[in-house]
């Protein structure tokens, strides 16, 4: 199932016929309820049902022929915690997944229904799909629930300013008359201005011990920047991602040598390119000082 995507904007879109939803900090997940059972699909297309047995069990309450699009999140201390979602997704066995489901129960924030009782709804307007989604999920209750939605831009702006304390990243904006834009960036997303996605075009250090990332931000002149030093946890995560790209090659051979980039206050720094790039979420307020801080990799499950 190919999912719809969103393009980043720098201010809140306003106008008639717009809907606003909070953007949850989790993993994209498509729920497919068939006659045979339930499949959970990541944005990449990979089936991750075994990692979320609690959500799979809850989805069996849905009528056969239902397909939902949404975000899987894990709540902790009153806010969503992306690291805990990653921990759930990385369960290596059914036994481990069951333990994590008990300790870190997942919630599913559904924002669209693509199929209902075998009827393809993707050509229907969002307004109609939203009504069907609410009617479907409200009687069931958690852990399957529709995301909040408003057509009031003032309320949406209040959400944008106040909900980050709960782990909400920003807003997604859709047209009420819009069909489901599978594979296209026809939705709009407004995220807090100092946090954004960046292309990871390389890394310094070795494949086994990366020290910093070489980034291209989605604003400015696309000049590569060197991030601040990676945390220990991020070094492990980046090394694993590089190993996957290299087909599990050992000995730090992933990434070609020979490229350099200018680092603030350091000068020319050699780095290993990545092609195709990875994606990382970074905190960055200026193309000058300080260097971007890498918050996490944006990897599909």
């Amino acid at each position: 199932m190919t999912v719809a995507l969103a393009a980043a904007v720098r201010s809140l879109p306003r106008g008639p016929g717009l809907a606003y939803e909070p953007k949850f900090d989790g993993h994209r997940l498509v729920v497919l309820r068939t006659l045979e059972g339930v499949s959970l699909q990541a944005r990449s297309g990979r089936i991750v049902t075994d990692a979320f047995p609690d959500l799979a069990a809850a989805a069996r309450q849905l009528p056969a022929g239902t397909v939902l699009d949404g975000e899987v999140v894990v709540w902790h201390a009153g806010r969503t915690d992306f690291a805990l979602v990653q921990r759930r997704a990385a369960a290596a066995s059914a036994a481990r997944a069951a333990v994590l489901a008990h300790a870190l129960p997942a919630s599913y924030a559904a924002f669209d229904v693509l199929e209902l009782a075998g009827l393809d709804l993707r050509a229907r307007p969002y307004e109609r799909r939203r009504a069907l989604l609410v009617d479907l999920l409200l009687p069931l209750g958690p852990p399957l629930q529709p995301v909040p939605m408003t057509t009031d831009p003032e309320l949406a702006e209040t959400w944008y300013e106040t909900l980050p304390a709960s782990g909400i990243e920003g807003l997604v904006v859709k047209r009420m008359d819009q069909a489901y834009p599978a594979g296209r960036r026809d939705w709009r997303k407004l995220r807090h201005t100092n946090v954004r996605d960046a292309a990871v075009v390389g890394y310094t250090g070795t494949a086994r011990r990366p020290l910093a990332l070489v980034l291209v931000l989605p604003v400015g002149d696309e000049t590569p920047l060197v991030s601040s030093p990676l945390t220990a946890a991020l070094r492990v995560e980046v090394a694993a991602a590089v190993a996957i790209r290299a087909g599990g090659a050992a000995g730090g051979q992933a990434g070609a040598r020979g490229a350099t980039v200018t680092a603030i206050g350091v000068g020319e720094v050699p780095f290993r390119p990545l092609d195709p790039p990875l994606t990382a979420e970074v905190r960055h307020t200026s193309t000058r000082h300080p260097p971007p801080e890498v918050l996490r990799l944006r990897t599909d499950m």
Side-chain angles (χ1 to χ4, degrees), residues 26-87:
H27 273 303
R28 189 74 171 269
L29 197 70
V30 176
V31 175
L32 303 102
R33 173 67 165 106
T34 66
L35 286 171
E36 294 76 25
V38 172
S39 291
L40 306 180
Q41 176 198 298
R43 173 179 161 179
S44 64
R46 189 161 68 93
I47 300 303
V48 295
T49 315
D50 290 346
F52 297 97
D54 44 347
L55 292 186
R60 291 187 182 93
Q61 302 175 77
L62 298 169
T66 297
V67 179
L68 302 178
D69 188 7
E71 201 91 356
V72 55
V73 299
V74 173
W75 290 89
H76 175 70
R79 59 177 291 125
T80 59
D81 190 320
F82 182 81
L84 296 183
V85 179
Q86 288 182 305
R87 189 173 169 190

Side-chain angles (χ1 to χ4, degrees), residues 217 219-221 225 264 284-290:
L217 299 176
V219 294
D221 60 2
L225 300 172
I264 296 172
H284 189 53
T285 57
S286 168
T287 56
R288 300 169 68 182
H289 299 282

Side-chain angles (χ1 to χ4, degrees), residues 2 45 62-63 68 90 183-184 188 196 202-203 208 221 250 254 263 277 281:
T2 302
L62 298 169
L68 302 178
R184 303 194 307 276
R188 298 292 177 261
R196 62 196 65 183
Y203 58 93
R208 286 183 171 176
D221 60 2
E281 184 179 274

Side-chain angles (χ1 to χ4, degrees), residues 35-283:
L35 286 171
E36 294 76 25
V38 172
S39 291
L40 306 180
Q41 176 198 298
R43 173 179 161 179
S44 64
R46 189 161 68 93
I47 300 303
V48 295
T49 315
D50 290 346
F52 297 97
D54 44 347
L55 292 186
R60 291 187 182 93
Q61 302 175 77
L62 298 169
T66 297
V67 179
L68 302 178
D69 188 7
E71 201 91 356
V72 55
V73 299
V74 173
W75 290 89
H76 175 70
R79 59 177 291 125
T80 59
D81 190 320
F82 182 81
L84 296 183
V85 179
Q86 288 182 305
R87 189 173 169 190
R88 286 291 314 269
S93 66
R96 179 61 176 161
V99 170
L100 289 175
H102 178 74
L104 303 170
S107 294
Y108 186 68
F111 46 71
D112 220 318
V113 55
L114 312 186
E115 188 173 313
L116 186 59
L119 179 64
D120 190 340
L121 303 175
R122 287 174 291 181
R124 305 279 182 94
Y126 166 80
E127 183 174 22
R128 179 56 180 157
R129 299 196 313 274
R130 170 70 190 185
L132 292 170
L133 178 70
V134 172
D135 288 346
L136 174 67
L137 294 186
L138 280 187
L140 301 181
L144 306 179
Q145 50 209 317
V147 299
M149 185 275 282
T150 183
T151 57
D152 180 355
E154 303 306 321
L155 177 56
E157 191 162 15
T158 299
W159 285 352
Y160 180 73
E161 296 298 335
T162 61
L163 289 181
S166 300
I168 304 303
E169 294 184 302
L171 300 173
V172 176
V173 185
K174 306 172 183 179
R175 296 198 322 268
M176 295 289 282
D177 63 355
Q178 187 177 28
Y180 183 80
R184 303 194 307 276
R185 293 189 179 274
D186 287 355
W187 294 344
R188 298 292 177 261
K189 59 181 177 183
L190 176 65
R191 298 172 68 180
H192 286 271
T193 54
N194 66 336
V195 176
R196 62 196 65 183
D197 286 346
V200 181
V201 298
Y203 58 93
T204 68
T206 67
R208 286 183 171 176
R209 187 176 173 79
L211 301 178
L213 299 184
V214 180
L215 307 166
V216 174
L217 299 176
V219 294
D221 60 2
E222 297 192 351
T223 300
L225 300 172
V226 179
S227 74
S228 58
L230 300 175
T231 64
L234 275 170
R235 285 199 299 268
V236 172
E237 190 175 349
V238 172
V242 170
I244 291 172
R245 286 295 178 91
Q253 298 302 311
R257 286 188 177 275
T260 61
V261 64
T262 301
I264 296 172
V266 176
E268 291 292 317
V269 175
F271 74 96
R272 295 172 179 266
L274 284 173
D275 185 20
L278 297 168
T279 302
E281 184 179 274
V282 303
R283 181 180 289 115

